[in-house]
Amino acid sequence: MVNNRALGIVALLAVGAWIASSSLYVVTEKQRAIKLRFGEVVQSDIEPGLHVKWPVLNTVRFFDARVQMLESTESRFLTARRNALIVDSYVKWQVVDPSLYYQSTRGEVSRAEDLIAPRVDESLRNAFGSREVDKIISEERNEMLEEPQEQLDERLREEVGVAILDIRLKRVELPQEVQQAVFQRMRTERNAEARQYRAQGQEQAERIRARADRERQVTLADARKKAETLRGEGDAKAAEIYASAYTQDQDFFNFYRSLQAYRNSFDKGDDMLLLSPDSEFFRYFRSPTGEASSNDE
């Protein structure tokens, strides 16, 4: 009797545990969830926390609410001038409407990516096809992607229940078969620009040299003019001093001038003068005072 009662209690506890485990479920902050009744959605976008459902009647589907990233395969796009570009891109997306997401994809990430990828490819082709290469590879690249991202986000929210958060390009380059031709053309253009800059630099250098030479000649001419003026003023001042000294002591002045003449005349050791000994030039050799001796007379 006791054993039957114990078995009954254990059975009741087991049934209660099963009912509790089947009736309670937890939605975390990283998840979005919907409640189904025989496959039909009866409650969508269940908030995080502990919730209750009917066992057997209800089932709960959980979806990852974190940001997902879809990397595209290498694609070949054409620009406005029919130039081919090899493009690698990626898309960031997130589930925002769990009910619509379940109805569109049955909650499978692979099916969601199969719906997102072709739409992204189409939008990028349209964006590339309306722009030139220089615009695509310039700083306008991010602006170019804003419009496709906004349009895809609005469209996929309504069709699939996901938000397109961002579209980015990982790689944009020319096909291998045209890279060499493009590089050669770019090299030729850069060389032409370099020659033009060098020619302009040489022209400017010539103008600068000509201006510097002209300024040099003007500066030298002004300096010579000023030097001649100062030299003339000095000579006039010297003559004035000589004249003043001459009037004060004529004999000393004659003696001093004769000494200068002797110094200038016999400056070199091999100089030779053919003069008469009694010449006036040698008067101070004969007498310090310069007076004529009795023999001269």
Side-chain angles (χ1 to χ4, degrees), residues 118-296:
R119 290 170 170 80
V120 173
D121 184 82
E122 179 185 1
S123 296
L124 289 179
R125 287 186 184 279
N126 293 335
F128 274 74
S130 61
R131 289 170 174 81
E132 305 294 341
V133 175
D134 57 342
K135 300 295 183 182
I136 295 172
I137 64 177
S138 68
E139 295 180 356
E140 298 182 10
R141 179 188 299 183
N142 293 335
E143 299 178 3
M144 178 188 72
L145 299 175
E146 288 179 359
E147 184 178 355
Q149 185 266 324
E150 293 175 357
Q151 294 176 350
L152 280 174
D153 179 65
E154 181 179 358
R155 178 180 177 184
L156 290 176
R157 282 176 183 269
E158 297 176 354
E159 295 180 1
V160 185
V162 299
I164 302 300
L165 305 178
D166 197 11
I167 300 176
R168 283 289 180 267
L169 304 178
K170 295 190 298 182
R171 180 170 64 98
V172 178
E173 62 183 28
L174 295 169
Q176 189 64 34
E177 62 270 18
V178 299
Q179 283 186 10
Q180 294 302 323
V182 172
F183 290 157
Q184 183 61 39
R185 185 175 68 252
M186 293 172 63
R187 188 179 296 111
T188 302
E189 293 174 353
R190 298 294 86 77
N191 289 336
E193 291 180 2
R195 288 193 296 270
Q196 180 180 359
Y197 289 144
R198 279 194 288 268
Q200 293 175 353
Q202 292 175 356
E203 181 181 356
Q204 293 180 3
E206 291 297 331
R207 286 201 298 266
I208 293 172
R209 291 194 191 97
R211 184 168 61 251
D213 291 340
R214 184 170 59 254
E215 293 176 355
R216 174 177 174 272
Q217 294 299 329
V218 172
T219 301
L220 290 176
D222 292 341
R224 293 191 189 99
K225 179 180 178 182
K226 187 174 182 179
E228 293 296 332
T229 301
L230 293 175
R231 189 177 293 110
E233 293 175 353
D235 292 342
K237 187 67 175 178
E240 181 182 351
I241 294 173
Y242 288 146
S244 176
Y246 181 78
T247 58
Q248 293 178 10
D249 191 342
Q250 184 175 358
D251 292 336
F252 176 77
F253 181 76
N254 291 333
F255 175 72
Y256 178 75
R257 294 297 297 272
S258 296
L259 290 180
Q260 287 183 326
Y262 295 152
R263 184 182 297 111
N264 295 332
S265 299
F266 302 109
D267 185 39
K268 299 180 180 178
D270 56 350
D271 289 343
M272 180 180 294
L273 293 176
L274 298 177
L275 297 173
S276 173
D278 57 353
S279 171
E280 182 68 19
F281 184 72
F282 296 109
R283 60 183 297 187
Y284 287 100
F285 279 91
R286 297 191 299 269
S287 173
T289 60
E291 297 177 355
S293 63
S294 56
N295 294 332
D296 295 336

Side-chain angles (χ1 to χ4, degrees), residues 51-70:
H51 302 276
V52 180
K53 66 181 179 66
W54 289 106
V56 180
L57 294 179
N58 296 132
T59 56
V60 178
R61 291 294 304 270
F62 299 92
F63 311 114
D64 194 341
R66 293 173 296 182
V67 176
Q68 308 286 330
M69 186 168 70
L70 169 62

